[in-house]
Amino acid sequence: MTESTRPPDQRWSNDEPTAADPAAPAAPPPAAAPASYAASSTSTAVVEPVRRPGVVTAGSITLIVLGALTILFGVLFVLFSALFAGAGAGGELAETPGLGGMLGAFAGMLIFMAILVLLFGALQLWVGINALGGRSWARITGIVLSVIGAALFAGGLTSAGSEGSSPVLNIIFIAAYLFVIFAFATGGRWFGARTA
């Protein structure tokens, strides 16, 4: 008797059961792929950019405004020093013995200070713009510049009170620099995510 003519109840023990055989055990389901593999091979994850925190935006804009105001102060220093240089070079004050040279030296010192103020303002402006883009170096540099700016205005605060002038402008600038420090210090996670 051949395999094809043998009835189903006379099968050998090692024969494969047919689908029609009700006593045959069910085949186990195919092994499933691990969840991580299935997720990585079938889905395309879209990574959304992390939104810039509002405090970082406000701090960057504050630093840009402070930089623009510092540049304006630098331009005023240049004009003021030009007046002293003009007064020292000619006019009635130049005819006074020793006063012309002293005015020229004072004008030179003012021009040097004006260049420093202009550079400080331009650096603040540039760092503030780059901080809006999420550059980590701009965050660190902005904190350092704000500490320097707050210290300079705090030094001016002591002299402003002694001369009888109002220290309100110095307090406003100190508060603005302290806000920039706070904004950049608390936004470190966003800056870190931008550079990663």
Side-chain angles (χ1 to χ4, degrees):
M1 190 181 241
T2 64
E3 183 68 32
S4 60
T5 59
R6 188 180 320 150
D9 59 340
Q10 295 179 354
R11 288 181 169 262
W12 300 101
S13 62
N14 61 357
D15 290 340
E16 281 190 24
T18 59
D21 190 6
S36 61
Y37 175 75
S40 65
S41 63
T42 58
S43 65
T44 55
V46 177
V47 178
E48 293 186 22
V50 180
R51 293 187 60 192
R52 180 175 53 233
V55 70
V56 173
T57 303
S60 300
I61 292 173
T62 303
L63 191 60
I64 290 170
V65 170
L66 287 170
L69 288 174
T70 306
I71 290 172
L72 180 64
F73 288 147
V75 170
L76 290 176
F77 265 128
V78 169
L79 294 176
F80 195 59
S81 61
L83 287 175
F84 270 102
E92 294 178 9
L93 292 176
E95 295 173 4
T96 307
L99 187 60
M102 189 170 62
L103 286 176
F106 188 66
M109 185 182 70
L110 282 180
I111 288 175
F112 178 73
M113 287 175 54
I115 290 172
L116 289 179
V117 169
L118 285 171
L119 288 175
F120 188 67
L123 187 59
Q124 289 179 88
L125 190 68
W126 183 56
V127 167
I129 291 170
N130 282 293
L132 281 174
R135 304 212 171 35
S136 278
W137 65 264
R139 171 183 172 253
I140 296 168
T141 309
I143 291 173
V144 171
L145 290 176
S146 297
V147 167
I148 293 171
L152 289 175
F153 277 99
L157 186 63
T158 57
S159 64
S162 63
E163 295 173 0
S165 62
S166 175
V168 174
L169 186 64
N170 288 358
I171 292 172
I172 291 172
F173 273 93
I174 291 169
Y177 280 120
L178 290 178
F179 174 71
V180 172
I181 293 169
F182 169 76
F184 287 176
T186 57
R189 181 177 295 177
W190 178 75
F191 281 101
R194 294 285 295 173
T195 56

